[in-house]
Amino acid sequence: QPVNDKRQLSNIFRFTSLFTTLAYSAIGICLGTAFGWHIEQSSNLNWRTCYHQVASKPSPTFQDMLMQAVSFYIILFPALDVLSAFPLNAITLGNNMLGAYSYAMQRRRRPPATRDAADDLDSHRWTKIVFRLLASVPPIVGGIFVRELGTITDYTGTTGFVIGFSIPALLYLQSKKIARLKRFATATYYTSYASCDILARFVVWFGILMVILVL
């Protein structure tokens, strides 16, 4: 939902970052303490032993059946999570790709005087389908050939460095450049001691170098 009072965004980001850090740290500590060096790359797979032990009992009790159901749910949870989130992510990525393509085509093929009257490609049903397929089919094909979740997360997890460090810094530099060209004020409510080009470029290269080191 949009935030009406933009001044609250700083506190929202701070508390969200603090909560997610504490939550993931607590989960990681509990799993590491429980499974030790035998923990799987995908920790939900550690519940397979519990599931098979209960299933092998000749006459399981209600508590055993409940434990089996919980173990089965934990094992399937990552797949269910991806199944529920993947369509939304594919639609969002496809729409973003379509928007970028539409803007680029209008600038390239239409003169400035008629650019506003250009046909809106977003309204074209088949164009939307094509871009949504471009966003959704490659991950499905890749998942067919690479079945090991640990291998997938090894590569996809490294994108967090670019998403978390490089892209925000690049957006800052680009938005500041556009503001200068349009003679807008570059200082905003969120401007702080960290709002400088040198630090932004350092963060960009830091994210890139972290990806190279991890890979």
Side-chain angles (χ1 to χ4, degrees), residues 26-141:
I27 294 173
I29 292 172
C30 291
L31 291 174
T33 303
F35 299 111
W37 293 103
H38 301 288
I39 192 170
E40 299 278 355
Q41 286 185 325
S42 182
S43 59
N44 64 305
L45 298 179
N46 284 96
W47 271 265
R48 289 182 300 180
T49 305
C50 179
Y51 176 81
H52 292 305
Q53 287 178 352
V54 176
S56 62
K57 290 185 177 182
S59 56
T61 62
F62 174 78
Q63 184 177 2
D64 294 332
M65 295 175 63
L66 181 62
M67 186 182 301
Q68 186 180 19
V70 172
S71 301
F72 188 66
Y73 173 76
I74 293 174
I75 294 171
L76 288 182
F77 178 77
L80 297 175
D81 182 50
V82 172
L83 185 64
S84 63
F86 180 76
L88 297 176
N89 294 332
I91 291 173
T92 302
L93 177 58
N95 291 344
N96 291 339
M97 293 168 59
L98 176 58
Y101 173 79
S102 302
Y103 179 74
M105 295 302 294
Q106 289 176 10
R107 291 193 62 183
R108 180 178 300 178
R109 296 183 179 180
R110 303 287 184 176
T114 60
R115 191 175 298 159
D116 294 337
D119 296 333
D120 187 5
L121 293 177
D122 293 359
S123 62
H124 197 286
R125 180 171 178 268
W126 291 107
T127 306
K128 284 185 177 182
I129 292 176
V130 169
F131 276 91
R132 289 176 180 178
L133 288 175
L134 287 175
S136 59
V137 171
I140 296 175
V141 175

